[in-house]
Amino acid sequence: MIGKLKDWFLPTANNGWRAKLLHPEALTGLVIIILLGQLVFRLFPLTHPGVLGYSSDITPEKIVALTNRVRQQMGLPTLRVNKLLNEAARRKAADMFAFNYWAHVSPSGRTPWSFFQEVGYRYTVAGENLAKDFTDADSVVQAWMASPTHRDNILDARFRDIGVAVVRGELNGVKTTLIVQLFGAPIGAENEKVAAAVPPMPKIPQAVAGAKINPFRVAKAGAIFLIGIFLGVLAADSWFAHRYHLYRMTGRNAAHAGLLLALLLLVLLAPQGLIY
Amino acid sequence: MHREIKKYPLDFAILFASFLLVLVFFLYFRFSLSVEKRLLVSLVSFYLLWGIGHHWYHRDLSLRVLGEYLLFAFLALLLGWSVFRFG
């Protein structure tokens, strides 16, 4: 039993002095297993909606405060929270959940600006930042600031108003938190009159959604585990080849290990949460 | 591994420099899913091209070696993709 297990991870006479895990047959098998695993992971939310998901404690107030803090640091005026923009952001988030998409333009071609018009916010310039799957408000604003286009929106000196919605729901069967941040520069004082007529925004539940499994963490842990095993097997293979002067017609272990190390760093650095 | 690197220092310098470049770009474009995925594909593609070019140049390219690089590339792509898709 131990001998057979050894054949999978170390070069021995039984495996042609190359760990079985590095044989093309084993690699092909592993690729097929991973593909099947991914298929199961993809279909799982459809059969068990709400089990996979991301929980967070993000609130619109925190997003606004952090956005204004960044603007202040850059010597820009802070943005006023606008009821109409809050409502437009909430409607945009509701639309994304209703039609199962996450983009500036909906699959039916609906633009962000249609939500501004729908609530009666008249503007000279406007902007929209989106984010999802984040666990805290700091990371959201940091991510936006790291992206030139989102940063431009946050630091646009023309904007005067801001509206933010943080809405929890299920997108493609996965529980998540969508964050919609809208900016605008109003035309005259018309918006204030309209805003007074708009009913107050329904309270958005801020309790953490009860998702049981975080798919990002599962995928990340699985990838790190497999990369670690392969790096270990490659290191052992190289050591044996060096120690026993083995010569085999194979690829370069250093190249494989380099690729896996680079991938490991990418996976370790991969952030949870996306912006659009 | 160090024996291989010592034997082909220039080849490996090119390979590792390209990996480093991808990592630098990745740090700069974090949080953008489309860029992350493109960088992953670039990393894997360069590794594959490097493997083919390196073995072809040193006249030891065989179907088995090509298959090994293809399988490692596919494995890396699958693992990376699974993480970035849920990121």
Side-chain angles (χ1 to χ4, degrees), chain A residues 18 24 31 38 41-42 54 143 215-216 238 251-254 256 258-259 269 271 274-275, chain B residues 1 4 8 12 19 26 30-31 47 50 54 60 64 68-69 71 74-75 78 82 85-87:
Chain A
R18 182 115 166 127
V31 162
Q38 290 202 355
F41 218 47
R42 188 177 275 255
Y54 305 88
F216 174 73
S238 295
R252 305 276 177 248
N253 277 355
H256 303 330
L259 172 75
L269 291 169
L274 298 169
I275 55 170
Chain B
M1 275 184 254
E4 292 174 344
Y8 311 104
F12 278 101
F19 287 169
F26 183 82
R30 274 172 90 197
F31 301 105
Y47 155 82
W50 180 93
H54 170 81
D60 58 355
R64 197 176 169 84
E68 191 176 313
Y69 279 92
L71 285 165
F74 203 50
L75 186 72
L78 273 178
S82 67
R85 190 164 65 84
F86 287 108

mmCIF file of all heavy atoms in Angstrom, chain A residues 18 24 31 38 41-42 54 143 215-216 238 251-254 256 258-259 269 271 274-275, chain B residues 1 4 8 12 19 26 30-31 47 50 54 60 64 68-69 71 74-75 78 82 85-87:
data_model
loop_
_atom_site.group_PDB
_atom_site.id
_atom_site.type_symbol
_atom_site.label_atom_id
_atom_site.label_comp_id
_atom_site.label_asym_id
_atom_site.label_seq_id
_atom_site.Cartn_x
_atom_site.Cartn_y
_atom_site.Cartn_z
ATOM 1 N N ARG A 18 9.990 8.213 -12.475
ATOM 2 C CA ARG A 18 9.277 9.505 -12.548
ATOM 3 C C ARG A 18 7.949 9.310 -11.821
ATOM 4 O O ARG A 18 7.194 8.371 -12.157
ATOM 5 C CB ARG A 18 9.035 9.893 -14.015
ATOM 6 C CG ARG A 18 8.335 11.246 -14.187
ATOM 7 C CD ARG A 18 9.234 12.234 -14.863
ATOM 8 N NE ARG A 18 8.537 13.419 -15.344
ATOM 9 C CZ ARG A 18 8.923 14.641 -15.037
ATOM 10 N NH1 ARG A 18 9.965 14.837 -14.256
ATOM 11 N NH2 ARG A 18 8.290 15.677 -15.530
ATOM 12 N N PRO A 24 1.810 11.616 -18.103
ATOM 13 C CA PRO A 24 0.710 12.222 -18.877
ATOM 14 C C PRO A 24 -0.646 11.601 -18.557
ATOM 15 O O PRO A 24 -1.655 12.308 -18.509
ATOM 16 C CB PRO A 24 1.100 11.944 -20.334
ATOM 17 C CG PRO A 24 2.563 11.722 -20.315
ATOM 18 C CD PRO A 24 2.901 11.160 -18.976
ATOM 19 N N VAL A 31 -6.862 16.372 -14.804
ATOM 20 C CA VAL A 31 -7.548 17.453 -15.539
ATOM 21 C C VAL A 31 -9.029 17.111 -15.685
ATOM 22 O O VAL A 31 -9.903 17.966 -15.467
ATOM 23 C CB VAL A 31 -6.872 17.668 -16.922
ATOM 24 C CG1 VAL A 31 -7.784 18.437 -17.865
ATOM 25 C CG2 VAL A 31 -5.546 18.405 -16.758
ATOM 26 N N GLN A 38 -15.471 21.124 -11.350
ATOM 27 C CA GLN A 38 -15.932 22.484 -11.664
ATOM 28 C C GLN A 38 -17.370 22.472 -12.174
ATOM 29 O O GLN A 38 -18.145 23.368 -11.883
ATOM 30 C CB GLN A 38 -15.000 23.118 -12.688
ATOM 31 C CG GLN A 38 -13.647 23.438 -12.091
ATOM 32 C CD GLN A 38 -12.911 24.505 -12.869
ATOM 33 O OE1 GLN A 38 -13.365 24.952 -13.899
ATOM 34 N NE2 GLN A 38 -11.764 24.896 -12.386
ATOM 35 N N PHE A 41 -19.557 22.080 -9.219
ATOM 36 C CA PHE A 41 -19.548 23.342 -8.483
ATOM 37 C C PHE A 41 -20.415 24.389 -9.184
ATOM 38 O O PHE A 41 -21.032 25.231 -8.552
ATOM 39 C CB PHE A 41 -18.106 23.826 -8.382
ATOM 40 C CG PHE A 41 -17.788 24.464 -7.054
ATOM 41 C CD1 PHE A 41 -18.165 23.855 -5.869
ATOM 42 C CD2 PHE A 41 -17.096 25.651 -6.989
ATOM 43 C CE1 PHE A 41 -17.869 24.429 -4.650
ATOM 44 C CE2 PHE A 41 -16.794 26.241 -5.776
ATOM 45 C CZ PHE A 41 -17.180 25.618 -4.599
ATOM 46 N N ARG A 42 -20.442 24.315 -10.513
ATOM 47 C CA ARG A 42 -21.221 25.275 -11.295
ATOM 48 C C ARG A 42 -22.712 24.947 -11.223
ATOM 49 O O ARG A 42 -23.559 25.834 -11.169
ATOM 50 C CB ARG A 42 -20.741 25.230 -12.747
ATOM 51 C CG ARG A 42 -21.332 26.323 -13.611
ATOM 52 C CD ARG A 42 -20.755 26.231 -14.995
ATOM 53 N NE ARG A 42 -19.487 26.922 -15.083
ATOM 54 C CZ ARG A 42 -19.332 28.101 -15.675
ATOM 55 N NH1 ARG A 42 -20.357 28.691 -16.211
ATOM 56 N NH2 ARG A 42 -18.154 28.671 -15.727
ATOM 57 N N TYR A 54 -21.515 34.724 -0.381
ATOM 58 C CA TYR A 54 -20.572 35.633 0.266
ATOM 59 C C TYR A 54 -21.339 36.476 1.274
ATOM 60 O O TYR A 54 -22.362 37.069 0.933
ATOM 61 C CB TYR A 54 -19.943 36.558 -0.774
ATOM 62 C CG TYR A 54 -19.283 35.841 -1.914
ATOM 63 C CD1 TYR A 54 -20.013 35.481 -3.048
ATOM 64 C CD2 TYR A 54 -17.940 35.491 -1.860
ATOM 65 C CE1 TYR A 54 -19.415 34.802 -4.100
ATOM 66 C CE2 TYR A 54 -17.342 34.819 -2.897
ATOM 67 C CZ TYR A 54 -18.079 34.479 -4.014
ATOM 68 O OH TYR A 54 -17.497 33.808 -5.042
ATOM 69 N N ALA A 143 -10.537 48.829 -3.862
ATOM 70 C CA ALA A 143 -10.560 48.216 -5.205
ATOM 71 C C ALA A 143 -10.938 49.245 -6.255
ATOM 72 O O ALA A 143 -10.318 49.307 -7.325
ATOM 73 C CB ALA A 143 -11.547 47.057 -5.223
ATOM 74 N N PRO A 215 -17.732 30.091 -2.070
ATOM 75 C CA PRO A 215 -17.139 29.374 -3.214
ATOM 76 C C PRO A 215 -15.721 29.825 -3.546
ATOM 77 O O PRO A 215 -14.893 29.031 -3.995
ATOM 78 C CB PRO A 215 -18.096 29.665 -4.361
ATOM 79 C CG PRO A 215 -18.905 30.823 -3.934
ATOM 80 C CD PRO A 215 -18.926 30.848 -2.454
ATOM 81 N N PHE A 216 -15.446 31.110 -3.309
ATOM 82 C CA PHE A 216 -14.116 31.637 -3.601
ATOM 83 C C PHE A 216 -13.071 30.958 -2.717
ATOM 84 O O PHE A 216 -12.014 30.519 -3.183
ATOM 85 C CB PHE A 216 -14.108 33.149 -3.385
ATOM 86 C CG PHE A 216 -12.750 33.777 -3.523
ATOM 87 C CD1 PHE A 216 -12.161 33.914 -4.761
ATOM 88 C CD2 PHE A 216 -12.067 34.231 -2.405
ATOM 89 C CE1 PHE A 216 -10.918 34.496 -4.888
ATOM 90 C CE2 PHE A 216 -10.819 34.815 -2.522
ATOM 91 C CZ PHE A 216 -10.246 34.949 -3.769
ATOM 92 N N SER A 238 13.181 16.224 -8.913
ATOM 93 C CA SER A 238 14.460 16.848 -9.276
ATOM 94 C C SER A 238 15.576 16.374 -8.356
ATOM 95 O O SER A 238 16.700 16.144 -8.808
ATOM 96 C CB SER A 238 14.346 18.375 -9.183
ATOM 97 O OG SER A 238 13.447 18.821 -10.129
ATOM 98 N N GLY A 251 9.822 17.084 -19.836
ATOM 99 C CA GLY A 251 9.893 18.542 -19.824
ATOM 100 C C GLY A 251 10.785 18.996 -18.687
ATOM 101 O O GLY A 251 11.265 18.185 -17.886
ATOM 102 N N ARG A 252 11.024 20.302 -18.635
ATOM 103 C CA ARG A 252 11.899 20.836 -17.580
ATOM 104 C C ARG A 252 11.094 21.055 -16.294
ATOM 105 O O ARG A 252 10.136 21.844 -16.278
ATOM 106 C CB ARG A 252 12.497 22.165 -18.024
ATOM 107 C CG ARG A 252 13.230 22.100 -19.355
ATOM 108 C CD ARG A 252 14.654 21.625 -19.218
ATOM 109 N NE ARG A 252 15.274 21.517 -20.530
ATOM 110 C CZ ARG A 252 15.637 20.374 -21.099
ATOM 111 N NH1 ARG A 252 15.479 19.218 -20.479
ATOM 112 N NH2 ARG A 252 16.190 20.375 -22.304
ATOM 113 N N ASN A 253 11.535 20.393 -15.246
ATOM 114 C CA ASN A 253 10.859 20.550 -13.953
ATOM 115 C C ASN A 253 10.873 21.999 -13.480
ATOM 116 O O ASN A 253 9.920 22.474 -12.869
ATOM 117 C CB ASN A 253 11.546 19.679 -12.892
ATOM 118 C CG ASN A 253 11.063 18.239 -12.946
ATOM 119 O OD1 ASN A 253 10.159 17.916 -13.716
ATOM 120 N ND2 ASN A 253 11.668 17.379 -12.155
ATOM 121 N N ALA A 254 11.977 22.698 -13.750
ATOM 122 C CA ALA A 254 12.095 24.092 -13.294
ATOM 123 C C ALA A 254 11.033 24.966 -13.964
ATOM 124 O O ALA A 254 10.496 25.891 -13.340
ATOM 125 C CB ALA A 254 13.490 24.622 -13.588
ATOM 126 N N HIS A 256 8.049 23.857 -15.107
ATOM 127 C CA HIS A 256 6.749 23.491 -14.513
ATOM 128 C C HIS A 256 6.609 24.143 -13.127
ATOM 129 O O HIS A 256 5.561 24.699 -12.801
ATOM 130 C CB HIS A 256 6.630 21.966 -14.345
ATOM 131 C CG HIS A 256 6.814 21.177 -15.602
ATOM 132 N ND1 HIS A 256 6.479 21.672 -16.844
ATOM 133 C CD2 HIS A 256 7.302 19.918 -15.814
ATOM 134 C CE1 HIS A 256 6.745 20.758 -17.762
ATOM 135 N NE2 HIS A 256 7.252 19.682 -17.163
ATOM 136 N N GLY A 258 8.172 26.752 -11.987
ATOM 137 C CA GLY A 258 8.059 28.211 -12.150
ATOM 138 C C GLY A 258 6.624 28.612 -12.449
ATOM 139 O O GLY A 258 6.091 29.562 -11.859
ATOM 140 N N LEU A 259 5.998 27.876 -13.359
ATOM 141 C CA LEU A 259 4.600 28.161 -13.702
ATOM 142 C C LEU A 259 3.709 27.999 -12.470
ATOM 143 O O LEU A 259 2.876 28.862 -12.177
ATOM 144 C CB LEU A 259 4.131 27.207 -14.810
ATOM 145 C CG LEU A 259 2.632 27.280 -15.132
ATOM 146 C CD1 LEU A 259 2.318 28.534 -15.927
ATOM 147 C CD2 LEU A 259 2.156 26.057 -15.894
ATOM 148 N N LEU A 269 -2.762 36.067 -4.183
ATOM 149 C CA LEU A 269 -3.050 37.505 -4.277
ATOM 150 C C LEU A 269 -4.460 37.781 -4.782
ATOM 151 O O LEU A 269 -4.926 38.926 -4.722
ATOM 152 C CB LEU A 269 -2.050 38.178 -5.225
ATOM 153 C CG LEU A 269 -0.598 38.272 -4.753
ATOM 154 C CD1 LEU A 269 0.306 38.711 -5.896
ATOM 155 C CD2 LEU A 269 -0.487 39.247 -3.601
ATOM 156 N N PRO A 271 -7.982 38.670 -5.121
ATOM 157 C CA PRO A 271 -8.862 39.268 -4.115
ATOM 158 C C PRO A 271 -10.275 38.697 -4.203
ATOM 159 O O PRO A 271 -10.718 38.306 -5.277
ATOM 160 C CB PRO A 271 -8.862 40.736 -4.504
ATOM 161 C CG PRO A 271 -8.630 40.738 -5.972
ATOM 162 C CD PRO A 271 -7.872 39.504 -6.329
ATOM 163 N N LEU A 274 -15.373 41.710 -6.765
ATOM 164 C CA LEU A 274 -15.145 42.191 -8.125
ATOM 165 C C LEU A 274 -15.733 43.582 -8.285
ATOM 166 O O LEU A 274 -16.708 43.925 -7.611
ATOM 167 C CB LEU A 274 -15.817 41.253 -9.133
ATOM 168 C CG LEU A 274 -15.313 39.818 -9.167
ATOM 169 C CD1 LEU A 274 -16.238 38.961 -10.000
ATOM 170 C CD2 LEU A 274 -13.902 39.769 -9.734
ATOM 171 N N ILE A 275 -15.107 44.347 -9.171
ATOM 172 C CA ILE A 275 -15.683 45.669 -9.472
ATOM 173 C C ILE A 275 -15.971 45.745 -10.955
ATOM 174 O O ILE A 275 -15.396 45.011 -11.757
ATOM 175 C CB ILE A 275 -14.726 46.815 -9.052
ATOM 176 C CG1 ILE A 275 -13.348 46.631 -9.696
ATOM 177 C CG2 ILE A 275 -14.635 46.911 -7.554
ATOM 178 C CD1 ILE A 275 -12.435 47.816 -9.524
ATOM 179 N N MET B 1 16.367 20.814 -10.132
ATOM 180 C CA MET B 1 15.882 21.959 -10.892
ATOM 181 C C MET B 1 16.997 22.973 -11.139
ATOM 182 O O MET B 1 17.073 23.543 -12.206
ATOM 183 C CB MET B 1 14.735 22.642 -10.135
ATOM 184 C CG MET B 1 13.388 22.006 -10.414
ATOM 185 S SD MET B 1 12.049 22.880 -9.623
ATOM 186 C CE MET B 1 11.647 21.787 -8.284
ATOM 187 N N GLU B 4 19.045 22.286 -14.177
ATOM 188 C CA GLU B 4 18.425 22.727 -15.446
ATOM 189 C C GLU B 4 18.643 24.224 -15.641
ATOM 190 O O GLU B 4 18.974 24.690 -16.729
ATOM 191 C CB GLU B 4 16.914 22.451 -15.411
ATOM 192 C CG GLU B 4 16.534 20.987 -15.426
ATOM 193 C CD GLU B 4 15.031 20.775 -15.242
ATOM 194 O OE1 GLU B 4 14.342 21.721 -14.812
ATOM 195 O OE2 GLU B 4 14.565 19.663 -15.510
ATOM 196 N N TYR B 8 20.703 26.076 -18.733
ATOM 197 C CA TYR B 8 20.074 26.970 -19.711
ATOM 198 C C TYR B 8 19.727 28.301 -19.036
ATOM 199 O O TYR B 8 18.544 28.654 -18.909
ATOM 200 C CB TYR B 8 18.796 26.346 -20.280
ATOM 201 C CG TYR B 8 18.942 24.928 -20.756
ATOM 202 C CD1 TYR B 8 18.449 23.862 -20.012
ATOM 203 C CD2 TYR B 8 19.574 24.647 -21.973
ATOM 204 C CE1 TYR B 8 18.569 22.559 -20.445
ATOM 205 C CE2 TYR B 8 19.703 23.343 -22.420
ATOM 206 C CZ TYR B 8 19.201 22.293 -21.639
ATOM 207 O OH TYR B 8 19.324 21.004 -22.085
ATOM 208 N N PHE B 12 15.873 30.237 -19.037
ATOM 209 C CA PHE B 12 15.088 30.354 -17.810
ATOM 210 C C PHE B 12 14.943 31.813 -17.363
ATOM 211 O O PHE B 12 13.920 32.171 -16.771
ATOM 212 C CB PHE B 12 15.684 29.481 -16.697
ATOM 213 C CG PHE B 12 15.250 28.048 -16.817
ATOM 214 C CD1 PHE B 12 16.093 27.089 -17.356
ATOM 215 C CD2 PHE B 12 13.974 27.669 -16.432
ATOM 216 C CE1 PHE B 12 15.676 25.778 -17.496
ATOM 217 C CE2 PHE B 12 13.546 26.356 -16.565
ATOM 218 C CZ PHE B 12 14.402 25.403 -17.101
ATOM 219 N N PHE B 19 7.170 35.632 -16.240
ATOM 220 C CA PHE B 19 6.288 35.324 -15.101
ATOM 221 C C PHE B 19 6.212 36.524 -14.151
ATOM 222 O O PHE B 19 5.149 36.887 -13.660
ATOM 223 C CB PHE B 19 6.800 34.101 -14.330
ATOM 224 C CG PHE B 19 6.596 32.785 -15.051
ATOM 225 C CD1 PHE B 19 7.204 31.626 -14.587
ATOM 226 C CD2 PHE B 19 5.804 32.694 -16.182
ATOM 227 C CE1 PHE B 19 7.021 30.411 -15.233
ATOM 228 C CE2 PHE B 19 5.622 31.481 -16.843
ATOM 229 C CZ PHE B 19 6.229 30.344 -16.364
ATOM 230 N N PHE B 26 -0.513 41.904 -12.670
ATOM 231 C CA PHE B 26 -1.615 41.395 -11.848
ATOM 232 C C PHE B 26 -1.820 42.288 -10.625
ATOM 233 O O PHE B 26 -2.952 42.614 -10.268
ATOM 234 C CB PHE B 26 -1.331 39.959 -11.408
ATOM 235 C CG PHE B 26 -2.456 39.349 -10.610
ATOM 236 C CD1 PHE B 26 -3.554 38.803 -11.258
ATOM 237 C CD2 PHE B 26 -2.429 39.339 -9.234
ATOM 238 C CE1 PHE B 26 -4.605 38.260 -10.533
ATOM 239 C CE2 PHE B 26 -3.472 38.798 -8.505
ATOM 240 C CZ PHE B 26 -4.559 38.255 -9.161
ATOM 241 N N ARG B 30 -5.451 44.257 -10.179
ATOM 242 C CA ARG B 30 -6.279 43.430 -9.305
ATOM 243 C C ARG B 30 -7.708 43.957 -9.285
ATOM 244 O O ARG B 30 -7.931 45.133 -9.478
ATOM 245 C CB ARG B 30 -5.731 43.465 -7.874
ATOM 246 C CG ARG B 30 -4.648 42.459 -7.630
ATOM 247 C CD ARG B 30 -4.049 42.703 -6.286
ATOM 248 N NE ARG B 30 -4.752 41.929 -5.268
ATOM 249 C CZ ARG B 30 -4.657 42.178 -3.966
ATOM 250 N NH1 ARG B 30 -3.924 43.159 -3.541
ATOM 251 N NH2 ARG B 30 -5.293 41.441 -3.113
ATOM 252 N N PHE B 31 -8.646 43.088 -9.042
ATOM 253 C CA PHE B 31 -10.074 43.390 -8.942
ATOM 254 C C PHE B 31 -10.748 43.504 -10.304
ATOM 255 O O PHE B 31 -11.951 43.634 -10.379
ATOM 256 C CB PHE B 31 -10.362 44.676 -8.157
ATOM 257 C CG PHE B 31 -9.843 44.656 -6.761
ATOM 258 C CD1 PHE B 31 -8.713 45.375 -6.411
ATOM 259 C CD2 PHE B 31 -10.469 43.895 -5.802
ATOM 260 C CE1 PHE B 31 -8.228 45.355 -5.113
ATOM 261 C CE2 PHE B 31 -9.996 43.873 -4.503
ATOM 262 C CZ PHE B 31 -8.873 44.602 -4.153
ATOM 263 N N TYR B 47 4.261 30.137 -21.071
ATOM 264 C CA TYR B 47 4.922 28.925 -20.570
ATOM 265 C C TYR B 47 4.918 27.848 -21.665
ATOM 266 O O TYR B 47 5.937 27.195 -21.929
ATOM 267 C CB TYR B 47 4.181 28.445 -19.321
ATOM 268 C CG TYR B 47 4.294 26.984 -19.010
ATOM 269 C CD1 TYR B 47 5.404 26.474 -18.347
ATOM 270 C CD2 TYR B 47 3.280 26.089 -19.381
ATOM 271 C CE1 TYR B 47 5.505 25.123 -18.062
ATOM 272 C CE2 TYR B 47 3.371 24.746 -19.094
ATOM 273 C CZ TYR B 47 4.482 24.264 -18.442
ATOM 274 O OH TYR B 47 4.585 22.935 -18.161
ATOM 275 N N TRP B 50 7.169 28.851 -24.534
ATOM 276 C CA TRP B 50 8.556 28.721 -24.069
ATOM 277 C C TRP B 50 8.973 27.251 -24.117
ATOM 278 O O TRP B 50 10.054 26.917 -24.608
ATOM 279 C CB TRP B 50 8.696 29.253 -22.644
ATOM 280 C CG TRP B 50 10.103 29.155 -22.109
ATOM 281 C CD1 TRP B 50 11.057 30.119 -22.161
ATOM 282 C CD2 TRP B 50 10.704 28.024 -21.450
ATOM 283 N NE1 TRP B 50 12.215 29.669 -21.579
ATOM 284 C CE2 TRP B 50 12.030 28.380 -21.136
ATOM 285 C CE3 TRP B 50 10.249 26.752 -21.097
ATOM 286 C CZ2 TRP B 50 12.906 27.507 -20.487
ATOM 287 C CZ3 TRP B 50 11.126 25.886 -20.462
ATOM 288 C CH2 TRP B 50 12.448 26.264 -20.161
ATOM 289 N N HIS B 54 11.889 26.086 -26.435
ATOM 290 C CA HIS B 54 13.093 25.629 -25.734
ATOM 291 C C HIS B 54 13.485 24.223 -26.185
ATOM 292 O O HIS B 54 14.644 23.974 -26.556
ATOM 293 C CB HIS B 54 12.827 25.659 -24.224
ATOM 294 C CG HIS B 54 13.867 24.998 -23.389
ATOM 295 N ND1 HIS B 54 15.053 25.625 -23.051
ATOM 296 C CD2 HIS B 54 13.922 23.761 -22.835
ATOM 297 C CE1 HIS B 54 15.777 24.800 -22.307
ATOM 298 N NE2 HIS B 54 15.113 23.662 -22.164
ATOM 299 N N ASP B 60 15.205 18.392 -28.531
ATOM 300 C CA ASP B 60 14.692 17.242 -27.775
ATOM 301 C C ASP B 60 13.174 17.340 -27.580
ATOM 302 O O ASP B 60 12.626 16.875 -26.585
ATOM 303 C CB ASP B 60 15.414 17.072 -26.419
ATOM 304 C CG ASP B 60 15.306 18.305 -25.530
ATOM 305 O OD1 ASP B 60 14.756 19.324 -26.007
ATOM 306 O OD2 ASP B 60 15.763 18.256 -24.379
ATOM 307 N N ARG B 64 5.682 13.354 -26.365
ATOM 308 C CA ARG B 64 5.480 13.154 -24.930
ATOM 309 C C ARG B 64 5.804 14.446 -24.152
ATOM 310 O O ARG B 64 5.067 14.831 -23.243
ATOM 311 C CB ARG B 64 6.369 11.999 -24.456
ATOM 312 C CG ARG B 64 5.941 11.464 -23.118
ATOM 313 C CD ARG B 64 6.770 10.266 -22.701
ATOM 314 N NE ARG B 64 6.504 9.939 -21.321
ATOM 315 C CZ ARG B 64 5.490 9.199 -20.908
ATOM 316 N NH1 ARG B 64 4.655 8.694 -21.784
ATOM 317 N NH2 ARG B 64 5.304 8.951 -19.633
ATOM 318 N N GLU B 68 3.294 16.839 -22.076
ATOM 319 C CA GLU B 68 3.533 17.209 -20.677
ATOM 320 C C GLU B 68 3.302 18.715 -20.472
ATOM 321 O O GLU B 68 2.645 19.124 -19.523
ATOM 322 C CB GLU B 68 4.967 16.828 -20.296
ATOM 323 C CG GLU B 68 5.237 16.918 -18.818
ATOM 324 C CD GLU B 68 6.648 16.449 -18.465
ATOM 325 O OE1 GLU B 68 7.070 15.375 -18.946
ATOM 326 O OE2 GLU B 68 7.333 17.175 -17.727
ATOM 327 N N TYR B 69 3.860 19.520 -21.389
ATOM 328 C CA TYR B 69 3.670 20.977 -21.276
ATOM 329 C C TYR B 69 2.199 21.349 -21.447
ATOM 330 O O TYR B 69 1.671 22.199 -20.732
ATOM 331 C CB TYR B 69 4.530 21.711 -22.310
ATOM 332 C CG TYR B 69 5.962 21.860 -21.865
ATOM 333 C CD1 TYR B 69 6.914 20.911 -22.198
ATOM 334 C CD2 TYR B 69 6.362 22.943 -21.082
ATOM 335 C CE1 TYR B 69 8.227 21.029 -21.770
ATOM 336 C CE2 TYR B 69 7.659 23.072 -20.647
ATOM 337 C CZ TYR B 69 8.591 22.113 -20.999
ATOM 338 O OH TYR B 69 9.884 22.244 -20.556
ATOM 339 N N LEU B 71 -0.429 19.514 -20.806
ATOM 340 C CA LEU B 71 -1.214 19.100 -19.635
ATOM 341 C C LEU B 71 -0.963 20.012 -18.440
ATOM 342 O O LEU B 71 -1.904 20.374 -17.726
ATOM 343 C CB LEU B 71 -0.907 17.638 -19.285
ATOM 344 C CG LEU B 71 -1.547 16.625 -20.246
ATOM 345 C CD1 LEU B 71 -0.925 15.251 -20.090
ATOM 346 C CD2 LEU B 71 -3.052 16.543 -20.015
ATOM 347 N N PHE B 74 -2.783 23.241 -19.125
ATOM 348 C CA PHE B 74 -4.222 23.089 -18.954
ATOM 349 C C PHE B 74 -4.585 23.010 -17.474
ATOM 350 O O PHE B 74 -5.568 23.611 -17.029
ATOM 351 C CB PHE B 74 -4.690 21.852 -19.717
ATOM 352 C CG PHE B 74 -6.153 21.900 -20.071
ATOM 353 C CD1 PHE B 74 -6.696 23.015 -20.698
ATOM 354 C CD2 PHE B 74 -6.992 20.842 -19.784
ATOM 355 C CE1 PHE B 74 -8.048 23.068 -21.008
ATOM 356 C CE2 PHE B 74 -8.340 20.885 -20.094
ATOM 357 C CZ PHE B 74 -8.870 21.996 -20.705
ATOM 358 N N LEU B 75 -3.770 22.295 -16.734
ATOM 359 C CA LEU B 75 -3.992 22.157 -15.289
ATOM 360 C C LEU B 75 -3.919 23.534 -14.603
ATOM 361 O O LEU B 75 -4.785 23.896 -13.806
ATOM 362 C CB LEU B 75 -2.925 21.217 -14.712
ATOM 363 C CG LEU B 75 -3.070 20.828 -13.249
ATOM 364 C CD1 LEU B 75 -4.229 19.859 -13.065
ATOM 365 C CD2 LEU B 75 -1.792 20.163 -12.741
ATOM 366 N N LEU B 78 -6.945 25.662 -15.541
ATOM 367 C CA LEU B 78 -8.160 25.226 -14.837
ATOM 368 C C LEU B 78 -8.168 25.689 -13.384
ATOM 369 O O LEU B 78 -9.173 26.192 -12.887
ATOM 370 C CB LEU B 78 -8.246 23.703 -14.852
ATOM 371 C CG LEU B 78 -8.911 23.053 -16.055
ATOM 372 C CD1 LEU B 78 -8.861 21.540 -15.917
ATOM 373 C CD2 LEU B 78 -10.339 23.503 -16.189
ATOM 374 N N SER B 82 -10.700 28.576 -11.925
ATOM 375 C CA SER B 82 -11.683 28.275 -10.886
ATOM 376 C C SER B 82 -11.625 29.333 -9.777
ATOM 377 O O SER B 82 -12.652 29.727 -9.240
ATOM 378 C CB SER B 82 -11.453 26.880 -10.312
ATOM 379 O OG SER B 82 -10.245 26.821 -9.614
ATOM 380 N N ARG B 85 -12.853 32.873 -11.292
ATOM 381 C CA ARG B 85 -14.285 32.900 -11.607
ATOM 382 C C ARG B 85 -15.114 33.225 -10.358
ATOM 383 O O ARG B 85 -16.140 33.879 -10.420
ATOM 384 C CB ARG B 85 -14.708 31.553 -12.168
ATOM 385 C CG ARG B 85 -16.108 31.539 -12.753
ATOM 386 C CD ARG B 85 -16.298 30.338 -13.618
ATOM 387 N NE ARG B 85 -16.226 29.121 -12.855
ATOM 388 C CZ ARG B 85 -17.247 28.593 -12.186
ATOM 389 N NH1 ARG B 85 -18.400 29.209 -12.164
ATOM 390 N NH2 ARG B 85 -17.114 27.463 -11.539
ATOM 391 N N PHE B 86 -14.643 32.741 -9.208
ATOM 392 C CA PHE B 86 -15.389 32.980 -7.988
ATOM 393 C C PHE B 86 -14.873 34.213 -7.235
ATOM 394 O O PHE B 86 -15.367 34.524 -6.177
ATOM 395 C CB PHE B 86 -15.328 31.772 -7.067
ATOM 396 C CG PHE B 86 -16.161 30.629 -7.570
ATOM 397 C CD1 PHE B 86 -15.558 29.498 -8.081
ATOM 398 C CD2 PHE B 86 -17.531 30.706 -7.549
ATOM 399 C CE1 PHE B 86 -16.335 28.458 -8.560
ATOM 400 C CE2 PHE B 86 -18.313 29.664 -8.022
ATOM 401 C CZ PHE B 86 -17.702 28.535 -8.516
ATOM 402 N N GLY B 87 -13.814 34.847 -7.764
ATOM 403 C CA GLY B 87 -13.172 35.932 -7.029
ATOM 404 C C GLY B 87 -13.999 37.166 -6.860
ATOM 405 O O GLY B 87 -15.074 37.306 -7.310
#
